[in-house]
Amino acid sequence: MLEVSGLVAGYGPVRALDGVDLTVAEGSITAVLGVNGAGKTTLLRTISGLVAAKAGTVRLAGRDITRAAPEDLVRQGIAHVPEGRGVIVELTVEENLKLGGLWLRDRPWLKTGVARMFSLFPALEQRRRRRAETLSGGERQMLAIGRALMSRPRLLLLDEPSLGLAPRTAAQIVATLESLRAETGLTLLLVEQNAGTALSVADRAVVLNLGRKVADDTAASLAADDRVRRAYLEM
Ligand code: ATP
């Protein structure tokens, strides 16, 4: 589904990604792990066109998307839930969801999609007319995911969905993502600093350190790898 090869990106002189290769299989959950500053966020931002690649390629289902604009990528099936969630706090829950579906230009879907998101996240339905600023951290994360799903993605990029959430809330969100994958075959690329949470749901994981990939294996093998855990993960 997604093939990243030799990807280099950064900010001015800072090389946040320094030749990263990554393959994400269709229908899989792949975790991107590593400590603060490893380049995880930059990897997602470069895949979704928000940061320009300086070298390397990104392919989606075989098509080169390295220099595509973010809005084209949404149409091609990539949705990105940024760190810090990125919902628009002045808008209601329902308005935020509809916003996520606007690029599709499919009016009937706006209605059915919103209903689908409410069945995935019942807590949001009760708050549909409230402004997003009144939501708890967990509800905001659900809303951000719901908004991304409104663009009917094939590939969902998630940046630290469990950041700042109570463990139970984080587990609930992760469980929803897992059932979504099982039901719809959605492909997920999940950035997490909390390696335990990510490895519990992921099929595969890569570990980044200072912009380079230092491990790439099944989630089960990585969870059992003491060397990697001690050197690069906080677990
Ligand atoms: P975090 O979990 O803190 O977001 P990360 O693994 O996602 O960490 P990145 O945010 O991708 O890492 O950062 C990689 C490197 O790029 C770091 O050295 C960081 O300081 C630098 N960096 C990130 N964003 C910017 C920016 N807007 N301008 C300059 N440097 C940046």
Side-chain angles (χ1 to χ4, degrees), residues 2-5 7 43 46-48 53 56-60 62-67 78:
L2 182 75
E3 260 177 282
V4 170
S5 114
L7 199 61
L43 176 62
T46 311
I47 293 169
S48 63
T57 56
V58 181
R59 288 176 179 278
L60 181 71
R63 184 193 277 194
D64 189 336
I65 57 160
T66 319
R67 315 222 176 272
I78 297 187

Side-chain angles (χ1 to χ4, degrees), residues 8 24 27 70 119 223:
V8 176
V24 177
S119 68

Side-chain angles (χ1 to χ4, degrees), residues 163-174:
L163 190 73
L165 301 183
R168 237 187 68 193
T169 313
Q172 223 178 346
I173 285 175
V174 162

Side-chain angles (χ1 to χ4, degrees), residues 11 14 16 34-43 83 159-160 191 193:
Y11 312 90
V14 180
V35 297
N36 253 332
K40 308 181 297 295
T41 294
T42 306
L43 176 62
E83 193 174 0
D159 202 344
E160 308 238 17
V191 160
Q193 203 148 232

Side-chain angles (χ1 to χ4, degrees), residues 78-153:
I78 297 187
H80 186 170
V81 181
E83 193 174 0
R85 296 163 198 155
V87 301
I88 298 180
V89 293
E90 294 85 356
L91 298 182
T92 66
V93 166
E94 194 166 340
E95 287 163 348
N96 266 285
L97 289 174
K98 286 186 171 163
L99 206 57
L102 279 187
W103 287 110
L104 295 180
R105 299 177 200 280
D106 175 352
R107 275 186 162 273
W109 164 253
L110 288 185
K111 220 171 170 181
T112 44
V114 167
R116 166 103 180 95
M117 295 314 136
F118 287 157
S119 68
L120 266 181
F121 301 108
L124 294 182
E125 182 161 26
Q126 294 161 22
R127 292 161 179 70
R128 66 191 297 167
R129 295 192 209 294
R130 299 236 192 114
R131 281 150 66 111
E133 65 193 347
T134 66
L135 301 182
S136 69
E139 290 160 355
R140 274 193 207 193
Q141 183 62 71
M142 291 173 199
L143 179 56
I145 294 171
R147 190 177 72 173
L149 291 173
M150 283 294 292
S151 68
R152 291 200 301 246

Side-chain angles (χ1 to χ4, degrees), residues 197-230:
T197 305
L199 290 174
S200 69
V201 288
D203 305 298
R204 290 193 71 84
V206 298
V207 181
L208 297 183
N209 189 53
L210 298 173
R212 290 177 190 239
K213 189 171 76 175
V214 291
D216 185 340
D217 209 334
T218 63
S221 316
L222 273 178
D225 187 331
D226 282 339
R227 186 191 66 86
V228 169
R229 282 171 52 161
R230 270 199 300 269

